C-alpha cells in the first residue's frame, strides 16, 4: 500500500505541475506578441513547455488503469461529461465576450472575420481542445480497459492508433453532427478548429494504460515501473528520432497533428521525464508546495476550465498578443492568483451545498440524502 500511495503522489505532483504550467503557457500565448514568444529566452522556454501535453495524457492512462472506478459505465459517463464540459468552457471563453461586447478586434481578425460575429458562435463553441480529446478518448479506452487484459495488446493498440493517424486524418462527411464527431477524431485543420484530434493523441493515453497494467502486474513496485519507463523511453526515442528527423513531413509535420514517428518520439521523451521526476521526488518529504500541487491535481479539470475562461475574458481588458515579456510575466502571476481564488470559491460552494444536504437524523440512518 505504501508503494501504491507513493506512486499516486508522483503522478499527482506531475499533474499539479501541469496545472500551473498551463496557466503560464496559455497566458503567454494569449497576451505576448510574436517577438516575446519566440525571440526571448523566457518566451521560448514557455513555448517549449507547451509541448508537454503527452505528459498529462500518459499520466491519465496510468491512473485510468489504477483508478478505483473500473467499470465501463463510469468511463463512458465521464467521457460524455468531459465533451460537454469542453463545449461549456468554449461557450464561456468565446461567447461571453461576444455577448457583452468585450472581444478584442484583432482576435476576431485572427479568424478572418469582421464584427459583428454573433453568427459564428457555433464555430467558436465547437473548437476542439484537450477536454474534448479526453472525453472522446474515454469512450474508446473504456472499452480497451474492459475487454483487453494483455498489456502488450494494449501497447499494440496504442501504436496502431499512431500508425494509422496520418492515413485517417481529414475524414469528412456532409452531416453536421456526424461531421463534428469526425472532426474531433480525425481533424487536420490546425490552428483554426481542432487542436488535439483523438487520432493520434489517444495513443499517448493507451501507452500510459500499458504502463498502468504493467504496474499492477508488478504488484505496485514503483521503483521497477519507473525503471521500465526509462528503458522503453530510450527505445522509443531510438525508433522515433530517425523517423522524425529524416521523414518529418509524414512522421511529424507539426506538433498538433504529428504522425506515428512523432508519437513514438514524444512518448519516449515523456517516459524519460516521468522517470526523472520520480527519481528527483522519491525521497522528498511532504511540504507546502507539494500540498499545493496535490490540490491542483485533485482539481485539475475545474482549474483547467477556470484558467482558460479567465484568460480568454482578459483579452477584452489587456488586449490580444500585444505585450512584451515583462508585462506578460506580471499577467502570469495575476492569473495564477485568480485561478486559485476562483477554485477556492468553487470549493466553498461545494462545501456549502454538502452542508445544506446534510440532515440531522436518528442513529442507524444515513446522514446524507
Amino acid at each position: 500500500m505504501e508503494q501504491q500511495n507513493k506512486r499516486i503522489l508522483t503522478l499527482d505532483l506531475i499533474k499539479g505541475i501541469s496545472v500551473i504550467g498551463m496557466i503560464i503557457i496559455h497566458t503567454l500565448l494569449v497576451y505576448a506578441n510574436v517577438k516575446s514568444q519566440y525571440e526571448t529566452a523566457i518566451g521560448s522556454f514557455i513555448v517549449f513547455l507547451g509541448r508537454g501535453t503527452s505528459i498529462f495524457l500518459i499520466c491519465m492512462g496510468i491512473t485510468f488503469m489504477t483508478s478505483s472506478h473500473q467499470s465501463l459505465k463510469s468511463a463512458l459517463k465521464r467521457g460524455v461529461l468531459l465533451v460537454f464540459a469542453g463545449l461549456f468552457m468554449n461557450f464561456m471563453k468565446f461567447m461571453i465576450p461576444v455577448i457583452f461586447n468585450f472581444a478584442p478586434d484583432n482576435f476576431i481578425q485572427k479568424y478572418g472575420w469582421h464584427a459583428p460575429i454573433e453568427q459564428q458562435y457555433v464555430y467558436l463553441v465547437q473548437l476542439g481542445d484537450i477536454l474534448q480529446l479526453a472525453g472522446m478518448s474515454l469512450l474508446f479506452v473504456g472499452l480497451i480497459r474492459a475487454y483487453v487484459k494483455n498489456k502488450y495488446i494494449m501497447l499494440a493498440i496504442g501504436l496502431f492508433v499512431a500508425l494509422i493517424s496520418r492515413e485517417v486524418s481529414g475524414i469528412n462527411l456532409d452531416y453536421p453532427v456526424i461531421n463534428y464527431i469526425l472532426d474531433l477524431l480525425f481533424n487536420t485543420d490546425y490552428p483554426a478548429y481542432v487542436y488535439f484530434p483523438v487520432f493520434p493523441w489517444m495513443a499517448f493515453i493507451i501507452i500510459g494504460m500499458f504502463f498502468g497494467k504493467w504496474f499492477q502486474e508488478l504488484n505496485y513496485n514503483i521503483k521497477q515501473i519507473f525503471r521500465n519507463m526509462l528503458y522503453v523511453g530510450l527505445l522509443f526515442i531510438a525508433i522515433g528520432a530517425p523517423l522524425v528527423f529524416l521523414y518529418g513531413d509524414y512522421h511529424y509535420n507539426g506538433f498538433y497533428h504529428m504522425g506515428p514517428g512523432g508519437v513514438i518520439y514524444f512518448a519516449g521523451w515523456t517516459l524519460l521525464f516521468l522517470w526523472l521526476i520520480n527519481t528527483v521526488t522519491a525521497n522528498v518529504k511532504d511540504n507546502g508546495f507539494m500540498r499545493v500541487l496535490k490540490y491542483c491535481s485533485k482539481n485539475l479539470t475545474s482549474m483547467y476550465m477556470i484558467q482558460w475562461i479567465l484568460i480568454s475574458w482578459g483579452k477584452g481588458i489587456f488586449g490580444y498578443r500585444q505585450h512584451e515579456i515583462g508585462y506578460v510575466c506580471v499577467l502570469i502571476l495575476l492569473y495564477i492568483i485568480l485561478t486559485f481564488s476562483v477554485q477556492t470559491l468553487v470549493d466553498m460552494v461545494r462545501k456549502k451545498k454538502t452542508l445544506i444536504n446534510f440532515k440531522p437524523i436518528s442513529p442507524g440512518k444515513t446522514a446524507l440524502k
Side-chain angles (χ1 to χ4, degrees):
M1 183 62 69
E2 182 179 348
Q3 287 180 319
Q4 186 177 5
N5 288 338
K6 191 176 180 181
R7 173 266 173 187
I8 294 172
L9 172 62
T10 300
L11 296 187
D12 278 350
L13 294 178
I14 293 169
K15 289 189 288 183
I17 292 170
S18 74
V19 171
I20 297 174
M22 67 192 179
I23 301 173
I24 296 171
I25 293 160
H26 294 156
T27 303
L28 178 90
L29 294 178
V30 168
Y31 295 111
N33 55 36
V34 174
K35 179 180 179 181
S36 296
Q37 289 189 34
Y38 297 103
E39 297 181 19
T40 65
I42 295 175
S44 298
F45 178 69
I46 295 175
V47 170
F48 170 75
L49 290 179
R51 298 297 184 257
T53 307
S54 57
I55 299 169
F56 165 75
L57 295 176
I58 287 181
C59 289
M60 175 183 170
I62 296 171
T63 56
F64 185 66
M65 291 301 296
T66 57
S67 169
S68 58
H69 303 287
Q70 289 288 310
S71 70
L72 176 60
K73 181 180 178 180
S74 68
L76 298 180
K77 180 180 178 180
R78 179 159 176 77
V80 172
L81 288 175
L82 282 174
V83 171
F84 280 101
L87 294 173
F88 172 76
M89 183 186 73
N90 284 344
F91 179 86
M92 296 297 291
K93 282 173 61 179
F94 299 117
M95 290 315 303
I96 294 301
V98 171
I99 292 170
F100 292 96
N101 197 30
F102 62 92
D105 289 339
N106 64 329
F107 174 74
I108 296 172
Q109 293 163 4
K110 171 189 174 184
Y111 292 93
W113 300 336
H114 301 281
I117 63 165
E118 287 81 356
Q119 67 272 20
Q120 302 289 352
Y121 73 95
V122 172
Y123 178 88
L124 289 169
V125 170
Q126 290 180 345
L127 291 178
D129 205 340
I130 196 75
L131 290 180
Q132 287 89 335
L133 163 64
M136 293 294 292
S137 296
L138 280 174
L139 303 180
F140 291 97
V141 300
L143 293 169
I144 295 173
R145 184 178 66 182
Y147 296 109
V148 178
K149 304 304 179 183
N150 186 297
K151 66 178 180 292
Y152 293 110
I153 295 179
M154 284 185 183
L155 179 60
I157 293 173
L159 295 177
F160 179 74
V161 169
L163 182 65
I164 67 170
S165 59
R166 184 70 74 205
E167 302 304 321
V168 298
S169 63
I171 293 177
N172 196 277
L173 296 175
D174 292 326
Y175 299 95
V177 176
I178 296 175
N179 207 48
Y180 177 60
I181 295 173
L182 292 175
D183 283 337
L184 293 178
L185 293 173
F186 310 118
N187 186 267
T188 59
D189 188 21
Y190 171 78
Y193 196 54
V194 176
Y195 287 81
F196 299 102
V198 173
F199 289 78
W201 285 95
M202 183 173 64
F204 291 107
I205 301 176
I206 303 175
I207 291 171
M209 292 172 64
F210 162 74
F211 282 100
K213 181 68 174 178
W214 202 352
F215 188 51
Q216 291 174 322
E217 293 178 358
L218 290 170
N219 195 28
Y220 302 102
N221 186 324
I222 185 171
K223 186 175 181 180
Q224 186 61 52
I225 194 60
F226 280 99
R227 186 184 295 122
N228 292 350
M229 287 183 188
L230 171 63
Y231 298 150
V232 176
L234 292 172
L235 176 63
F236 277 9
I237 292 172
I239 295 172
L243 297 176
V244 167
F245 292 106
L246 297 179
Y247 308 99
D249 288 344
Y250 184 86
H251 285 279
Y252 184 67
N253 195 32
F255 173 73
Y256 290 96
H257 295 86
M258 63 182 73
V263 171
I264 295 171
Y265 182 66
F266 271 85
W269 282 110
T270 299
L271 293 170
L272 258 67
F273 176 78
L274 293 175
W275 167 80
L276 178 62
I277 291 295
N278 179 70
T279 302
V280 171
T281 61
N283 298 312
V284 175
K285 294 182 179 180
D286 192 32
N287 55 55
F289 181 64
M290 292 177 69
R291 288 192 289 272
V292 169
L293 294 181
K294 286 188 284 186
Y295 176 81
C296 293
S297 176
K298 179 182 177 182
N299 298 288
L300 189 150
T301 301
S302 59
M303 293 186 76
Y304 180 84
M305 297 174 67
I306 289 166
Q307 57 89 32
W308 246 142
I309 292 168
L310 292 174
I311 291 170
S312 296
W313 287 359
K315 293 196 296 282
I317 302 172
F318 303 111
Y320 179 63
R321 294 187 175 177
Q322 297 177 356
H323 300 294
E324 301 295 330
I325 194 64
Y327 190 94
V328 172
C329 289
V330 175
L331 290 179
I332 287 171
L333 180 60
L334 171 65
Y335 279 111
I336 290 174
I337 294 171
L338 287 175
T339 300
F340 276 88
S341 299
V342 174
Q343 180 62 52
T344 301
L345 291 176
V346 171
D347 292 340
M348 291 172 61
V349 171
R350 288 174 178 169
K351 185 177 180 180
K352 184 177 180 180
K353 184 177 179 181
T354 301
L355 292 174
I356 290 174
N357 288 335
F358 184 87
K359 284 186 172 182
I361 40 79
S362 58
K365 294 184 179 180
T366 180
L368 295 176
K369 286 184 177 179

